[in-house]
Amino acid sequence: MDSDGGPTASPLVSIQYSTAKTRIITTALELFSQHGIGGTSLQMIADEIGVTKAAVYHQFKTKDEIVVAAVEVELARLEPALDLAEADDQRPRALTLLLTQVIDLAVEHRRMVVTLQHDPVVVRLLAEHEPFQLFMGRLFHALTGGENSAEARVRAAMISMAIGGAVSHPLVAGLDDGTLRSQLLLLTWRFLDLPE
Amino acid sequence: MDSDGGPTASPLVSIQYSTAKTRIITTALELFSQHGIGGTSLQMIADEIGVTKAAVYHQFKTKDEIVVAAVEVELARLEPALDLAEADDQRPRALTLLLTQVIDLAVEHRRMVVTLQHDPVVVRLLAEHEPFQLFMGRLFHALTGGENSAEARVRAAMISMAIGGAVSHPLVAGLDDGTLRSQLLLLTWRFLDLPE
DNA sequence: GTCTATATGAAGATAGAC
DNA sequence: GTCTATCTTCATATAGAC
């Protein structure tokens, strides 16, 4: 698991992978969301695809590299919404836009979100991998509107955890996507005092 | 890791453990919060205490049993507050009481909360271990006030994840306990429209 | 309650052939 | 791009002595 110098840097922009790499990433994401990252072995990924471990290692030198690529693919989904929010100079509207997208994506990818937000391996990679740092910085800047008070920080932390955490909570497991989305929008707007 | 029939049932009331067991549980909790459960081996626990793996196995037959005991110890901290909330027939006051305690405990045990709320192993045990199920049922009944609408469910999920998730969020890592606690109280009250 | 010693399996990772 | 074969390390777990 631990490589010497950590994963090599790569930008957080939609990269084109070979079909073999793409199959591994897709499979890995599926398994990560089911078993967590620590609970997913390269053997499991290989078995699911129907190849050997060695074939997987031919595409990615370490497990960390697979995790980075997988997290990158998922995070990249937020990028268009983030770009839009940053381009908008009217604060409430930009925030509304961003959160709508975030909630849509979170609901759509329910099972994945908990891994991305809380898995210890992802947390470590987020801390080590500079492109992730920059991206999270942009995201939270957009969320706080540049404010840096204790209240702004706690509010941003709460709202991102509330959305990301709620979608995979047992209490809402029975709700269909539409209901969950509209309730999340409603309650998020109320929490942030945004115009509805 | 996987035992045949799952961990044996045991009630969620403060149980007295032998000093040897207590030492293992305390050490395990510390290591779990640092490395996650999957990232903590019995060897690490044994080394930290200064005994051998076999000595640990003498106290707990499987790793799952250690995890159950550890989670039980942490969850049990919420029990007095939950008892009080259930005994109170005035809804807003009971909820206020419960949440104040929850926030206090979450802030005090910041690093532990993320593991308890999101580690895949804990999630599995919560689903398998009946005493946990009952306890979480009580907790969410108290949170929703018995209401069962989609809005009540999403609100309860959001608020528990917002509190539990925010305390270990990088954005608030620099805040001292007092500041974090008061901001969480403020924002939680506002979110739930409770009297301040 | 703690130890030594050991069984068994699976993990991450590599070498080299096809 | 995939394979077989192999290496190393470490995990959970057990047996039996002190």
Side-chain angles (χ1 to χ4, degrees), chain A:
Chain A
M1 190 64 168
D2 284 288
S3 43
D4 38 342
T8 49
S10 63
L12 235 196
V13 257
S14 42
I15 307 145
Q16 287 307 326
Y17 294 104
S18 68
T19 54
K21 274 195 158 86
T22 303
R23 230 185 327 159
I24 291 171
I25 293 173
T26 308
T27 308
L29 276 171
E30 182 60 34
L31 292 172
F32 288 164
S33 72
Q34 286 173 42
H35 310 103
I37 293 174
T40 303
S41 66
L42 297 196
Q43 187 66 66
M44 291 163 76
I45 297 173
D47 286 351
E48 188 74 19
I49 300 177
V51 298
T52 61
K53 264 196 297 183
V56 176
Y57 270 106
H58 181 72
Q59 304 296 335
F60 294 96
K61 274 197 286 293
T62 66
K63 188 181 178 183
D64 271 8
E65 271 187 37
I66 300 177
V67 178
V68 167
V71 173
E72 221 157 56
V73 163
E74 287 298 300
L75 279 189
R77 295 184 198 278
L78 289 173
E79 207 152 38
L82 187 50
D83 287 339
L84 273 178
E86 287 175 339
D88 199 322
D89 49 353
Q90 284 216 307
R91 265 300 139 196
R93 195 177 61 196
L95 188 56
T96 299
L97 222 89
L98 178 61
L99 283 172
T100 307
Q101 293 288 311
V102 167
I103 289 173
D104 281 356
L105 284 170
V107 171
E108 194 182 339
H109 298 262
R110 290 196 205 199
R111 291 176 314 164
M112 199 59 228
V113 177
V114 65
T115 299
L116 290 177
Q117 231 170 5
H118 301 287
D119 192 289
V121 177
V122 176
V123 171
R124 173 173 57 77
L125 288 174
L126 284 178
E128 287 173 0
H129 196 62
E130 201 182 346
F132 289 161
Q133 287 282 297
L134 294 173
F135 187 81
M136 297 313 277
R138 286 175 60 195
L139 190 56
F140 289 115
H141 182 90
L143 267 182
T144 58
E147 226 191 303
N148 204 16
S149 62
E151 185 181 328
R153 299 175 86 91
V154 176
R155 192 172 50 222
M158 284 182 79
I159 204 63
S160 67
M161 291 293 138
I163 295 170
V167 292
S168 60
H169 198 287
L171 271 176
V172 309
L175 302 182
D176 63 277
D177 285 2
T179 306
L180 178 57
R181 183 185 299 110
S182 62
Q183 291 301 330
L184 279 174
L185 283 167
L186 181 75
L187 291 162
T188 300
W189 270 214
R190 194 177 298 164
F191 182 66
L192 295 179
D193 260 327
L194 288 170
E196 322 222 350

Side-chain angles (χ1 to χ4, degrees), chain B residues 1 41-42 53 57 62-63:
Chain B
M1 190 62 167
S41 66
L42 297 196
K53 264 193 300 183
Y57 270 107
T62 65
K63 189 183 178 183

